[in-house]
Amino acid sequence: MSDRAPLEERVDLGSYDERFYSIVGRGDENVKYFSKVFDVRIVPRGTELIIKGDPDNVKQFASFLRAVMSRLERERLTAKEVRDYAKDFLEKVEGREDISESEEDIILITHRKKAIVPKSETQRRYVKAIRENDIVFGIGPAGTGKTYLAMAMALAHLKEQRVNKIILTRPAVEAGEKLGFLPGTIAEKVDPYLRPLYDALYDMVDYDKAVYMLERNIIEIAPLAFMRGRTLNDAFIILDEAQNATREQMKMFLTRIGFGSKAVITGDITQIDLPKKEHSGLVEALKILKGIDGIEFVWFSQEDVVRHPIVAKIIEAYEAYERGSDSVKDKEAEQEVPA
């Protein structure tokens, strides 16, 4: 705190509604959090927050409140998401970034009024790369948002009429002998491989609207083998699980891209399921296409994995257990060593 005279400011949050509790928290837990991170004293009085403290800190917190209230008019946020937004807000201030940039981070507002925004610096670079390049490779482990953000960017491009259609594709690794024993048409046989793409779509678009776009081929979901012989103009194309594309399939896919199109290729080179005799087209493409203008590679790491908090705790518990199990095994092994 500075030696300047403290400032007092009042901000009315409106009525006791969902937005009010998103800001203050059900047990005022957010008020306590804000008081600590913004270094101000906050006194709740009805629907009003009385803010006291260093003038700069008070103005900064009042500015945050106005920003989050504006955002809550467009989308729903949980109390935790508001706390996360406060953290991002402060990071931008400390980094001397323009606060309005947080509005630009919004890629898409879903049918549930949820804003899709990049949640890490790598995700921001990924979104920026997609905006600025014709072909982008997103490489890294599962759960880092590679496909999800690409889908959001595709829908945003479609909404802005920058493309006429979206094409989602991925290799069906077992599209040979094993699938042949399954009932149904070829499309029905490969449907389980494409299901993650449907899940991402339905999370962002109302079901009826998604069905409408799928029926009219505004959005097309198909196995990679179905791309052969086509030229894809004015389309946003996503190739998912690209580590399981063969070198021939990858070359075929990349040469399908036509005028006005954008392609995003995602994959995890540590999870290749191809037969041993086959070489991953993604691994080869990383070597061949390096340095070409209009093509960018974005690498994700485990630090970019976006998990539900309970999942993170489960993983930590398993890792601790496995470390303990390994130490027990080591002790048992030592006991078995003959003298």
Side-chain angles (χ1 to χ4, degrees):
M1 300 281 282
S2 72
D3 295 329
R4 292 183 295 169
L7 177 69
E8 178 178 308
E9 188 166 338
R10 295 167 181 254
V11 177
D12 193 348
L13 303 181
S15 59
Y16 293 104
D17 57 9
E18 185 179 352
R19 289 185 298 175
F20 174 85
Y21 289 108
S22 291
I23 294 174
V24 303
R26 288 289 169 182
D28 286 352
E29 71 266 23
N30 280 11
V31 173
K32 298 168 189 174
Y33 176 81
F34 297 147
S35 180
K36 182 179 179 180
V37 300
F38 285 92
D39 194 15
V40 292
R41 185 181 171 214
I42 305 169
V43 181
R45 186 166 296 167
T47 61
E48 193 175 61
L49 294 183
I50 303 170
I51 315 160
K52 302 177 181 180
D54 178 81
D56 288 342
N57 294 354
V58 169
K59 289 175 183 176
Q60 186 179 86
F61 180 56
S63 176
F64 161 74
L65 285 177
R66 286 189 287 271
V68 77
M69 287 170 70
S70 173
R71 186 169 170 183
L72 282 164
E73 289 178 1
R74 302 188 308 273
E75 58 174 310
R76 295 175 184 170
L77 295 174
T78 65
K80 182 185 182 304
E81 287 170 331
V82 170
R83 292 198 298 274
D84 292 341
Y85 182 55
K87 183 180 177 183
D88 290 342
F89 183 96
L90 284 171
E91 286 177 354
K92 289 179 183 296
V93 170
E94 291 168 4
R96 300 182 183 276
E97 295 180 39
D98 187 349
I99 296 305
S100 63
E101 208 172 84
S102 61
E103 301 298 319
E104 296 175 9
D105 280 347
I106 297 175
I107 301 167
L108 185 75
I109 304 292
T110 72
H111 65 290
R112 297 187 182 95
K113 302 298 181 184
K114 174 80 173 176
I116 298 176
V117 296
K119 297 181 182 297
S120 70
E121 187 54 40
T122 307
Q123 288 190 352
R124 288 188 182 92
R125 284 193 286 107
Y126 182 55
V127 170
K128 185 173 184 287
I130 294 172
R131 287 188 176 125
E132 297 176 356
N133 294 273
D134 294 328
I135 299 174
V136 174
F137 287 80
I139 307 103
T144 49
K146 304 183 302 294
T147 305
Y148 195 81
L149 288 174
M151 177 76 80
M153 289 294 289
L155 288 167
H157 274 65
L158 186 65
K159 183 178 179 181
E160 296 163 8
Q161 298 184 335
R162 296 171 65 182
V163 296
N164 295 330
K165 71 182 304 180
I166 296 171
I167 297 174
L168 311 170
T169 184
R170 64 190 323 209
V173 178
E174 296 175 347
E177 188 174 71
K178 291 186 181 179
L179 282 177
F181 292 101
L182 295 175
T185 64
I186 289 292
E188 289 170 337
K189 289 177 180 180
V190 298
D191 183 75
Y193 295 92
L194 306 174
R195 183 52 49 186
L197 298 175
Y198 285 102
D199 291 342
L201 173 62
Y202 293 142
D203 193 47
M204 298 179 197
V205 180
D206 176 77
Y207 179 81
D208 290 337
K209 186 176 181 181
V211 170
Y212 172 86
M213 291 191 289
L214 286 165
E215 286 177 346
R216 284 158 179 75
N217 275 338
I218 297 170
I219 298 178
E220 180 183 344
I221 303 180
L224 181 57
F226 285 23
M227 296 296 105
R228 191 172 300 278
R230 303 177 61 182
T231 301
L232 307 171
N233 295 317
D234 299 311
F236 195 114
I237 315 148
I238 300 172
L239 170 56
D240 191 33
E241 296 290 337
Q243 75 275 5
N244 291 326
T246 65
R247 55 174 56 166
E248 293 81 9
Q249 287 176 327
M250 181 61 72
K251 182 180 178 182
M252 176 272 292
F253 172 79
L254 291 171
T255 54
R256 298 306 94 203
I257 298 166
F259 293 104
S261 288
K262 189 179 289 284
V264 179
I265 298 99
T266 69
D268 179 1
I269 57 176
T270 68
Q271 298 291 328
I272 298 171
D273 299 319
L274 289 167
K276 290 183 179 180
K277 63 179 180 180
E278 293 281 6
H279 294 280
S280 170
L282 177 58
V283 173
E284 188 175 73
L286 297 177
K287 301 172 185 176
I288 295 172
L289 304 178
K290 191 181 296 183
I292 297 178
D293 288 339
I295 300 179
E296 187 163 342
F297 300 88
V298 179
W299 293 84
F300 292 81
S301 68
Q302 285 291 345
E303 294 177 359
D304 299 302
V305 174
V306 180
R307 298 184 177 117
H308 187 289
I310 194 66
V311 176
K313 291 178 182 177
I314 290 169
I315 291 170
E316 288 173 8
Y318 269 94
E319 289 176 347
Y321 174 79
E322 287 165 0
R323 285 195 299 271
S325 296
D326 289 341
S327 64
V328 170
K329 289 175 184 176
D330 290 342
K331 288 179 182 177
E332 291 175 348
E334 287 174 7
Q335 292 172 359
E336 291 174 5
V337 174

